[in-house]
Amino acid sequence: MPLPKMTKYLNAATFGMLLLADAVLPTWATTSNRQEEVFQGVARDERGEIAYTEEHRMIYQDGRPQRNETRYRDAQGQEIAVLNSNFTTHPYVPSYSFEDRRFGRQDGTFVDGAWVKIYGRADQNAPVQQERVRLEENMVTGQGLHLYLRDHMEQLSKSDDIQQVRFLVPLEGRDFMFRIRRLDTASEPGTVGLNIEADSWLLRLVAPKLEVRYDRETRRLLSYRGASNLLNADQDVQNVTITYRYPN
């Protein structure tokens, strides 16, 4: 059964969970060729108030991300959602599972050869619906977009050309073409700014747009501005600004 077409979940799911993995090889918590890093993101709403925090635990093997666990807590510190991603099958289309425990909203992917199995439900009263789509060239999803940006940052930071990716949104049951372009960061030396938005002008009227900023040298994600993957208390899309804190 195909997944329902829920435009607000295109907004909420497309970008909110995708840029949450550190891009440099950590030098702490190292065992053999396995490395681990823990860091935090603080999301503020449009009023500047803390909407939630993110706690990330990334596992690397031989310098490449393998798994990431993200736990979301509200402003009072209560855990409200969890996201687990596995990059071992495909670096940019991870197998992931996301659950918002406030509403029972779920979505995820499982890479199986040339296919991606996808599932999702809008809330705890809705049935889980499943579909599968073919794994296409330039396809990304979830936190895989961050790894795509990290791996292509040299090209993206030096060119004004627009680069395209196919972003898979499980709750929409399909992928959408998005474009990436460099932003002017002259006022923020040492950083790389990127804008990501729908390629179709019609889709840009309803789909999210985001801006991200990276440290040019370390390639660490510094900030994220755009639609969150966590809906607000009224189950509507919320826009947030997230700043990331890393251990020294």
Side-chain angles (χ1 to χ4, degrees), residues 190-239:
T191 68
V192 176
L194 299 170
N195 178 85
I196 306 169
E197 61 185 0
D199 191 55
S200 163
W201 70 268
L202 185 60
L203 189 57
R204 285 200 295 274
L205 298 177
V206 296
K209 177 176 68 175
L210 72 88
E211 295 182 3
V212 292
R213 186 168 56 92
Y214 286 87
D215 183 282
R216 183 181 295 273
E217 181 178 354
T218 66
R219 294 186 296 168
R220 278 178 166 170
L221 179 65
L222 301 176
S223 65
Y224 167 101
R225 184 190 304 272
S228 171
N229 60 315
L230 296 187
L231 303 176
N232 63 21
D234 298 321
Q235 298 194 54
D236 290 327
V237 175
Q238 61 177 335
N239 291 312

